[in-house]
Every structure is written in structure tokens, then in C-alpha cells.
Amino acid sequence: METFKKIYSKLWKANYVIEFFAALIFMFSLFNVLYMKKINNIWSLKDLILSVLTIPFIIFIIIQHIRTNRDKLEKIFLCISIPLSIAYMVFVLPFLVPDEGPHVFRSFNMARGNIIVSKEENEESVPVEFYNLENTKNKYTDLIQAKADNIHANTDGNEAKKFNQTVTYFPIVYIGPTIAGVIGNILNLN
């Protein structure tokens, strides 16, 4: 019993990190379950089991935080906001947040090396297929159809100029997304 308490106390020091990864696994497995059922009309058994196994773990961490941090509301808020923010990240379609498009285009261009853009132009160049995704509807089936249309449209290499008010923002704001974009370019991810 003493060994279990030592292991538990060491793991509890990294509780936010553990909760983050557990919530990430849960949300992506839940998304795969819902996505496979909706699009392909099949149940993903592996993802269903994974989501069922991770949800009690996340609930346990939240309950433990509430019990141990009754006076520290910021820790309780952080513990509850981790799964909620990951759910928001996973389940909200691309370009449906009103201000998202310009920021995505800006970080995309910074990943391509266009860090400083002329303020007079306020335009950035983005691939046509990337630009077309901005006009998708609010369903995943529409997003899949838009991607399929882009594949068949043969727009490789074509660029579209787009007005972007975020070119005047300080580039340090986009460090995180730019690093992700550089890694995506290196690994040839879409």
C-alpha cells in the first residue's frame, strides 16, 4: 500500500499533463467513433473502447482536483478547462470561428518564410485549395466534399491573393502555429 501511495504522489505532480493527454486521447477517439459512424456507417470498436476507458480517468482527476483544491479556484478551472478546450479544438470545423481564417493564412505564410509583408498591400498569397476550404459549410461531409473537389480540380501550384488584416500583427504572436506549419511542410502533411 505504501508503494502505491508513493507512485500516486509522484504521478499527481504531473496531473495536468496526464489529464491533457488523457483528454486528447478521449476527444480524438470519440471524434473517430462519431466520424466513422456518420460517414462510413460503421462503429470503430477500438476508438469506442479507448473513449470509454479514458473518460472515468478524466472524471477521477477532476474530482480529485475539486476535493484537494477547494480554496484554489484557478486550479479547478484549469482542470475543467483542459478537456473542454480540447473538445472545442477537435469538434469545431476549420474556418468556422469568425476570426480564424486570417490567422491561419498568416501563420501558413510565415511557415513558408514570408515573415514581413508590406502594410500597403495587406494581401497574402495562399494555395487555391486552401482558400476554397474557407468556404465550406458547417458539416464534416461538406468539408470532405470540398477536399475531394479540390483534388479533382487540379489546382496544384495555383495561388490566390487574399486580403489579410493580420499582416500588421507582430510576428511573435504566430510562433506556435508557424512551428507547426514548418513541421507540416517538412513532413509533407496537408
Side-chain angles (χ1 to χ4, degrees), residues 94 99 119 126 128 136 153-154 173 186:
D99 194 6
K119 288 182 188 176
V126 293
V128 172
T136 59
N154 196 14
V173 175
I186 291 170

Side-chain angles (χ1 to χ4, degrees), residues 52-92:
V52 168
L53 290 177
T54 53
I55 191 67
F57 187 68
I58 295 168
I59 292 171
F60 171 75
I61 291 175
I62 291 172
I63 290 171
Q64 281 297 101
H65 266 285
I66 292 171
R67 284 180 51 209
T68 58
N69 296 314
R70 291 176 195 225
D71 299 335
K72 299 174 184 166
L73 291 177
E74 68 277 3
K75 290 188 175 188
I76 294 172
F77 174 77
L78 180 61
C79 184
I80 293 171
S81 68
I82 288 172
L84 291 178
S85 61
I86 291 174
Y88 184 76
M89 175 191 75
V90 170
F91 288 103
V92 174

